[in-house]
Amino acid sequence: MLRIQQLVKRYGHDEPVLKGLDLEVPDESVVSIIGASGAGKSTLLRCINRLVEPTSGSIELNGAELTRLHGNELRKARRRIGMIFQGFNLVDRLTVMENVQCGRLGYIPYWRAALRKYSTEDIDRAYTLMERVGIAHYANKRADELSGGERQRVGVVRALMQNPEILLADEPTASLDPVSSRQIMELLQTLAQELQLPVLINIHNVAEAREYTQRIVGMRFGRLIFDGKPEDLDQSAMDTVYSGTPAEDRQQAEQDTSKAVVS
């Protein structure tokens, strides 16, 4: 269970990016976060894993208060939070297996990682996970030789190698073609059920949010202004989330909604 209470993030003396935000994400649930650019979606995810330091508020993961941790305790907590990035964040010159093993960096000494001294247990688990997502045959292939969808699958396995208690996905399909996007969203949906993991996805594509997540949270100007089931996200709710935002954001949201209705 992820529980966020009164979360605030302010940069300098500017207006807060996050304004007293409250959110709970139970186990085995897939929750999407929608909203225009600048709504605070990415900042929220980065506050959860402490890539960005919250200004105030509480972030609790399975009983552990993350905002109070520092040093080694913070390092241990971060390894329980799997992160999937829009830009994949792979090391292109390394093989798929080597990139996947980067998910173990929070658990093994640096010298072992530098010398690529992976344990038999970690190698076996990597193969099992790669087989599960369909990339085991690429184990010895360089990351820069893969397609976008394949690279994102490597990112998913790398996150799972952490044995995470939650998965955070920051625009995981934004760099992918439509077919690969659907495959990645289906994969995240299935993994949440199989591994009993909560998954929190920051996403611009409203159609994908409707189809692949159990709950949609809408953000605007650092606040949560919608929280409900996909079928509850009607045109009125869409207007509330995207009203007053740049025309291109509103247009894209409307297109995504139309796609969802057609499908």
Side-chain angles (χ1 to χ4, degrees):
M1 163 75 79
L2 174 70
R3 179 178 290 108
I4 299 173
Q5 295 179 307
Q6 290 298 299
L7 183 64
V8 174
K9 175 57 187 176
R10 180 193 301 272
Y11 292 97
H13 298 290
D14 295 334
E15 183 179 0
V17 178
L18 300 177
K19 305 171 182 176
L21 188 144
D22 294 323
L23 178 66
E24 288 190 1
V25 182
D27 294 342
E28 300 180 54
S29 62
V30 184
V31 179
S32 57
I33 309 172
I34 65 170
S37 299
K41 305 186 301 295
S42 292
T43 299
L44 171 59
L45 294 193
R46 283 163 168 74
C47 281
I48 294 171
N49 62 14
R50 296 282 298 277
L51 289 177
V52 167
E53 287 298 319
T55 302
S56 62
S58 170
I59 303 173
E60 184 180 295
L61 179 61
N62 293 333
E65 176 51 69
L66 301 180
T67 58
R68 298 175 184 171
L69 302 180
H70 301 281
N72 192 48
E73 291 301 315
L74 177 57
R75 178 173 176 268
K76 289 181 179 179
R78 276 179 172 156
R79 69 189 186 187
R80 298 185 290 122
I81 304 172
M83 186 76 175
I84 300 167
F85 300 89
Q86 174 183 343
F88 315 127
N89 281 24
L90 304 182
V91 182
D92 286 343
R93 62 182 176 81
L94 297 184
T95 66
V96 168
M97 175 61 78
E98 290 166 340
N99 271 283
V100 165
Q101 292 296 336
C102 289
R104 300 301 297 165
L105 292 179
Y107 294 88
I108 65 176
Y110 174 77
W111 68 266
R112 280 185 54 190
L115 295 175
R116 299 169 193 174
K117 298 277 188 184
Y118 312 127
S119 70
T120 301
E121 181 182 356
D122 285 346
I123 292 174
D124 289 344
R125 175 167 171 75
Y127 272 117
T128 298
L129 291 171
M130 288 191 292
E131 184 69 36
R132 171 62 187 82
V133 305
I135 58 170
H137 55 296
Y138 292 138
N140 296 316
K141 199 169 186 177
R142 280 175 52 126
D144 57 5
E145 297 176 350
L146 304 181
S147 69
E150 292 162 349
R151 287 164 67 85
Q152 193 59 288
R153 289 172 187 269
V154 176
V156 171
V157 175
R158 178 185 57 194
L160 294 178
M161 285 293 290
Q162 298 176 222
N163 291 321
E165 297 177 13
I166 188 171
L167 277 180
L168 308 178
D170 192 10
E171 295 288 350
T173 64
S175 302
L176 305 180
D177 61 79
V179 173
S180 296
S181 294
R182 293 177 67 88
Q183 291 172 342
I184 290 298
M185 291 299 291
E186 287 173 358
L187 179 61
L188 293 176
Q189 182 185 56
T190 303
L191 289 172
Q193 296 173 350
E194 290 181 359
L195 303 176
Q196 300 181 340
L197 276 175
V199 180
L200 188 58
I201 306 173
N202 167 14
I203 191 168
H204 272 297
N205 191 312
V206 178
E208 291 178 353
R210 285 176 178 272
E211 185 170 358
Y212 296 108
T213 66
Q214 303 161 321
R215 175 179 161 206
I216 298 177
V217 171
M219 289 186 64
R220 183 183 177 197
F221 304 140
R223 301 184 188 277
L224 297 189
I225 58 172
F226 175 83
D227 188 348
K229 297 179 180 180
E231 57 267 28
D232 297 330
L233 188 67
D234 56 16
Q235 189 58 52
S236 176
M238 288 283 290
D239 290 343
T240 300
V241 173
Y242 289 97
S243 177
T245 61
E248 59 186 35
D249 284 325
R250 295 199 305 274
Q251 183 179 12
Q252 184 61 56
E254 290 167 357
Q255 290 173 353
D256 290 338
T257 302
S258 298
K259 291 176 185 176
V261 171
V262 170
S263 62

